[in-house]
Amino acid sequence: MTARVLVVDDILANVKLLEARLTAEYFDVVSAMNGLEALTVCAEVMPDIVLLDVMMPGMDGFEVCRRIKANPATAHIPVVMVTALDQISDRVKGLEAGADDFLTKPVSDVALVTRVRSLSRLKMLTDELRMRAAASRDRSIEGDFDIDQVVGSAKGRILVVEDRRSTAERLQAMLGSAHAVTLQANPQEALLTAADGAFELVVVSLALANFDALRLCSQLRSLDRTRMLPILLIVDPEDQPRLLRGLEIGVNDYLTRPIDRQELLARVRTQIRRKRYNDHLRDNVQQTIEMAVTDGLTGLHNRRYMSTHLATLTEQAKERGKPLSVLILDIDFFKAINDTHGHDAGDEVLREFADRMRSNVRGIDLCCRYGGEEFVIVMPDTDLNLARVVAERLRQRVAGDPFVIAGGVKQIDVTISIGLGTLDGLQDTDEQIMKRADLALYRAKRNGRNCVVSDAA
């Protein structure tokens, strides 16, 4: 995996050293020598990660980081502070400015490459979500929402996996005022707990007594329900080799003992913010997908969805030698309802009719709004006689009870006409079934409406 890395340092030798190390690992490297140049380059080339020196003249790294994270176009780019500062207070200051991690000079080659790869992988995942969200809505995602508003200020839901009771309770005390914390001492039960709960972060001790903590991390990454769940490792100073292995398998962040409360809170906040941001992007994509196949007024599937799935269900019925029926339903004199009571009343009738239709069919039946006041029900494993029974029951259900409109003030009588078509032989197609059902509906209207007519009539 390659990525574009922006290296920012006011000392040319430091820039060249990092550039050489990263280029050797096939990363694409661009550089900047001061804070203002870094902001300009970042906006122009949109790197996958920024390696940012802290001590620079004019604008220091903390301020550069704050500005990167304040810009909606660059806020999702990971920033790693590369600095000789090694005080906890400096790390906390950087994390509060929005930094994703720290590398202390002199930087280990293994730590550098591992961290760049890990954060770049997360950035590329976010980029994919952003691209899908922007493409599905056919407009740029920037400016659509404020990140702080999206992530909110609600307490995070955190699962702590630590088998030393005193340490677990200390972590709970550190986090409890700002987050909802669940403790789990058994790693195998922790995996089930994580899968069943709506957690936003898992904190795992690398020093579990009778279980390989990295195995737990790997299992969390392999399950669908926990694959996107951030993992924060608690490590001992001498456990660097295993930490690097953890970063390779997908651990998001780590904290070295002894644990400082402010640094812990800052790192936890960063991970929860990133998860909420990515969840928001996924929700946007999912909503757009649903909107593409769902009728916004009734909540039923739309004509596009019906056409695709009817073809599939028809082929499956022919392959299995099973019956298939299609009902086309039309609300009688619907134009008169709109003309007499208004379009708002018409919308109320459509929504109520959709509810009655849903409540009178099976879960496997496909209910769709075909267009205007026409609806379609596709009924797998249903022959002509059973489909006629269902259609007649639905007709009576609609005609038997008045529809309430105008916010409950008025009631009107509504009836429907139904045309029924069924699968007829291996050469039959979904278009032919729909055509026969449509002709049957036409006969139902010609026969006086409020009736059911099948294609066998």
Side-chain angles (χ1 to χ4, degrees), residues 317-332:
K318 290 193 289 186
E319 290 172 1
R320 299 169 183 171
K322 299 289 186 179
L324 175 78
S325 296
V326 173
L327 277 60
I328 301 183
L329 311 91
D330 184 89
I331 299 177
D332 296 330

Side-chain angles (χ1 to χ4, degrees), residues 367-395:
C367 296
C368 306
R369 185 181 180 190
Y370 198 56
E373 66 271 23
E374 279 195 347
F375 296 79
V376 172
I377 303 176
V378 182
M379 307 180 70
D381 299 337
T382 305
D383 60 20
L384 179 64
N385 291 330
L386 180 56
R388 189 182 291 114
V389 170
V390 174
E392 180 60 28
R393 182 181 67 207
L394 182 57
R395 185 197 66 78

Side-chain angles (χ1 to χ4, degrees), residues 92-255:
V92 171
K93 184 177 179 181
L95 291 167
E96 290 177 345
D100 295 86
D101 203 358
F102 275 80
L103 289 173
T104 303
K105 297 177 181 178
V107 180
S108 158
D109 286 358
V110 174
L112 171 68
V113 173
T114 302
R115 208 67 189 110
V116 169
R117 282 178 176 162
S118 175
L119 288 171
S120 297
R121 189 162 49 239
L122 290 173
K123 161 66 164 46
M124 289 177 181
L125 171 63
T126 301
D127 281 349
E128 183 177 354
L129 289 171
R130 288 167 57 83
M131 180 181 65
R132 289 181 181 179
S136 62
R137 291 177 297 179
D138 195 29
R139 64 178 186 268
S140 172
I141 195 168
E142 275 77 38
D144 282 359
F145 55 84
D146 177 79
I147 292 179
D148 288 331
Q149 185 177 4
V150 167
V151 301
S153 58
K155 288 187 174 184
R157 300 178 297 277
I158 303 172
L159 175 63
V160 174
V161 186
E162 170 61 80
D163 53 9
R164 288 178 289 188
R165 184 172 179 177
S166 60
T167 304
E169 291 176 349
R170 188 160 61 251
L171 287 170
Q172 186 175 41
M174 290 179 177
L175 295 168
S177 62
H179 303 284
V181 180
T182 299
L183 300 181
Q184 182 56 259
N186 186 318
Q188 293 173 318
E189 292 182 7
L191 183 64
L192 298 176
T193 302
D196 291 338
F199 293 102
E200 296 176 295
L201 176 67
V202 179
V203 178
V204 180
S205 170
L206 192 56
L208 296 175
N210 299 309
F211 195 88
D212 183 356
L214 294 184
R215 177 68 60 188
L216 173 61
C217 296
S218 174
Q219 291 169 338
L220 288 168
R221 282 290 166 264
S222 67
L223 293 178
D224 286 341
R225 297 185 66 178
T226 58
R227 184 164 292 144
M228 301 303 174
L229 187 58
I231 301 172
L232 174 68
L233 272 184
I234 304 295
V235 304
D236 293 316
E238 64 274 12
D239 235 348
Q240 290 300 307
R242 295 184 69 217
L243 166 61
L244 295 176
R245 180 65 179 140
L247 293 172
E248 289 176 357
I249 65 175
V251 167
N252 299 79
D253 201 359
Y254 64 93
L255 195 61

Side-chain angles (χ1 to χ4, degrees), residues 429-448:
T429 67
D430 55 297
E431 291 92 347
Q432 290 170 328
I433 300 171
M434 285 292 295
K435 181 65 175 177
R436 291 197 296 273
D438 191 51
L439 291 174
L441 174 63
Y442 176 75
R443 289 198 297 272
K445 292 180 179 180
R446 191 175 57 191
N447 292 345

